[in-house]
Amino acid sequence: VSAEVLSPGQAIAYFDMLVERLPNITVAAIAGPGEAFSTPEETLETLRLIRKKYPAMLFCIATNGFNVMPYISILKEYGVTHMTVTINAVKPDIGEKIYAWAREGTEIYRGKEAAGTLIDRQLGAIERLSKAGMFVKVNTVLIPGINDHHAVAVAERVSKLGASIFNA
């Protein structure tokens, strides 16, 4: 359960405490609050620290998929086996009703451009993560009157890209 953003040092200390209390833990998950790949250096350092201390630990990361693609090879190297990608639309005209903006570095996308860029990145990430041998689960948040009629289209599209499980 996510309660706050942790630095890599805080995360490994917290994980050490959990493993001491519950030695049967077999999976380390990185999830919100926030997006794991908005600060990729911290996320990767956390993975490195856990992998070094717990070499048999399975990893799962939750992401919106926007900034994952540059890091797929290092995720594979660190032994990440499971990724959860939240994608709420596969059509920009629906996505723009959900996302007001998307930011990459100092560039801000708005409206349909933001939704289209996000969707393109998400779909690309799902395909590349799957091809890299990772188990990809896709979550869709249903928003009544916005994308609730669109879940089947999302499921069909991500299935063709290699997603293993779809939750709506």
Side-chain angles (χ1 to χ4, degrees), residues 15 22-28 56-59:
F15 197 70
L22 304 164
N24 60 338
I25 289 177
T26 59
V27 178
M57 194 63 56
L58 297 175
F59 284 129

Side-chain angles (χ1 to χ4, degrees), residues 112-123:
K112 194 176 271 190
E113 180 186 24
T117 301
L118 174 61
I119 291 165
D120 287 347
R121 300 269 184 93
Q122 291 172 318
L123 297 175

